[in-house]
């Protein structure tokens, strides 16, 4: 259970880090705002035309008498919108990270420099187009996995009692895992950690991952909150990635914001990781 608290602690540390680095936070807001506008437009369209789509998909109900047709199609319309909202939560991070790749790479590198002993950060050495391609490819794979989980949980939601109690809880933990994967990918991809290795790494510390991603996923259900938490979530995920790899995760000490941004900041680091910990680089 200790890992649950540690994961949540990284989430809070990430938010504190961006609060003390206003320039990084400001740039980090832009991708989330763009994604929010796109998703809001899609959800509004679903709300306006979802009923027509359901009517088109259920021609067998055209001749139903009484209120049954309206109740049936109204239920399906509500379910369709709920599924769209779930997919929006599951994919918001992936789309935002793809749009904001250069912004979040810079932010994650700044966090790495701030907490490392020598003030350096691992770099991929890849051109931007290559990084974007890898990020888009991996994000698509994660979205497919998350979508399959979403469909499964949606189907299990019809199971009496469990569908209204256990399934929603499982859904939040699944959402938290995939959110954490997407966010830690920014730091781990720079270290040359491939998708399969990232998933194995996260599964090895599930409580840590859930402690970070589950409360974040819950907060993302509140309109507009995701936009303002994304920069701090990327910063916190960088700290979490460092812990998964056995690197120091010390929180920076005071200092003025401009000095932090220009000089990489100062850090109070934890003891060196034990011998045999995974290397931070490729």
């Amino acid at each position: 259970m200790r890992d649950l608290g540690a994961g949540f602690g990284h989430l809070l540390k990430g938010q504190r880090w961006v609060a003390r680095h206003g320039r990084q936070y400001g740039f980090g807001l832009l991708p989330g705002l763009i994604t929010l506008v796109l998703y809001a437009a899609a959800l509004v369209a679903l709300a306006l035309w979802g009923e027509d789509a359901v009517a088109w998909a259920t021609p067998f109900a055209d001749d139903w008498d009484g209120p049954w047709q309206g109740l049936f199609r109204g239920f399906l319309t509500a379910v369709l919108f709920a599924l769209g909202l779930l997919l929006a939560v599951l994919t918001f991070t992936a789309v935002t990270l793809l749009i904001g790749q250069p912004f979040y790479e810079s932010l994650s590198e700044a966090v790495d420099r701030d907490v490392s002993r020598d003030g350096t950060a691992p770099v991929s050495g890849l051109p931007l187009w290559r990084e974007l391609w890898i990020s888009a490819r991996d994000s698509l794979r994660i979205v497919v996995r998350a979508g399959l989980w979403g469909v499964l949980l949606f189907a299990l939601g019809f199971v009496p009692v469990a569908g209204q109690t256990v399934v929603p809880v499982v859904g939040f933990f699944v959402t938290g895992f995939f959110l954490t994967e997407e966010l830690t990918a920014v730091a781990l991809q720079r270290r040359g950690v491939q998708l399969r290795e990232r998933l194995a790494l996260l599964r090895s510390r599930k409580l840590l991952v859930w402690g970070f991603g589950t409360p974040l996923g819950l907060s993302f259900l509140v309109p507009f909150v995701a936009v303002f938490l994304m920069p701090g979530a990327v910063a916190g995920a960088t700290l979490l990635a460092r812990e998964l790899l056995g690197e120091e995760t010390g929180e920076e000490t005071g200092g003025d914001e401009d000095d932090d941004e220009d000089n990489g900041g100062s850090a109070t680091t934890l003891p060196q990781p034990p011998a045999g910990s995974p290397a931070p680089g490729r």
Side-chain angles (χ1 to χ4, degrees):
M1 298 299 290
R2 184 178 180 181
D3 268 358
L4 280 174
F8 186 66
H10 287 314
L11 181 60
L12 296 180
K13 287 180 182 179
Q15 300 304 324
R16 286 203 299 266
W17 193 94
V18 294
R20 299 172 71 173
H21 298 76
R23 190 179 305 172
Q24 293 281 358
Y25 180 67
F27 281 119
L29 288 177
L30 295 177
L33 289 171
I34 295 171
T35 308
L36 178 65
V37 171
L38 295 175
Y39 272 59
L43 289 173
V44 167
L46 189 60
L48 291 176
W49 293 293
E51 187 174 353
D52 293 336
V54 168
W56 172 82
T58 57
F60 55 85
D62 287 342
D63 300 326
W64 287 12
D65 297 325
W68 300 114
Q69 181 193 89
L71 289 173
F72 175 69
R73 286 178 170 170
F75 171 74
L76 289 182
T77 301
V79 167
L80 178 63
F81 186 82
L83 182 59
L85 187 61
L86 175 62
L87 289 176
V89 172
L90 289 172
T91 61
F92 182 89
T93 302
V95 175
T96 303
L97 290 174
L98 184 60
I99 293 174
Q101 180 79 11
F103 299 95
Y104 294 138
E105 283 283 351
S106 174
L107 192 156
S108 179
E109 286 183 21
V111 174
D112 271 326
R113 287 194 299 271
D114 203 31
V115 300
S116 64
R117 292 181 183 276
D118 55 5
T120 61
V123 293
S124 67
L126 298 174
L128 179 60
W129 71 267
R130 179 66 177 168
E131 290 182 352
L132 288 173
W133 162 250
I134 294 173
S135 179
R137 180 196 64 192
D138 290 350
S139 293
L140 180 60
R141 292 174 178 173
I142 291 300
V143 166
V144 170
R145 284 179 167 88
L148 292 174
W149 270 100
V151 171
L152 175 61
L153 292 172
F154 170 71
L156 291 176
F158 292 99
V159 177
V161 182
Q164 293 74 50
T165 54
V166 178
V167 172
V169 174
V170 173
F172 285 124
F173 280 101
V174 170
T175 300
F177 181 89
F178 285 118
L179 279 176
T180 305
E181 195 289 325
E182 287 289 345
L183 290 164
T184 54
V186 178
L188 294 175
Q189 187 175 304
R190 281 191 292 107
R191 292 162 165 80
V193 183
Q194 301 301 315
L195 176 59
R196 183 174 298 180
E197 298 168 329
R198 293 201 302 266
L199 290 172
L201 194 61
L202 293 173
R203 291 188 188 111
S204 70
R205 300 283 298 277
K206 287 180 181 177
L207 290 178
L208 182 70
V209 170
W210 287 334
F212 179 90
T214 302
L216 184 63
L218 287 168
S219 66
F220 276 15
L221 293 176
V222 182
F224 307 113
V225 166
V227 174
F228 297 102
L229 292 185
M230 272 298 292
V234 172
T238 302
L239 297 174
L240 189 146
R242 293 180 68 90
E243 176 167 343
L244 287 171
L245 295 174
E247 303 171 20
E248 65 266 28
T249 59
E251 186 178 359
E252 80 277 9
T253 59
D256 133 357
E257 176 182 312
D258 291 333
D259 289 343
D260 283 344
E261 289 178 354
D262 292 339
N263 302 323
S266 59
T268 302
T269 56
L270 300 179
Q272 286 280 9
S277 297
R282 279 186 169 275

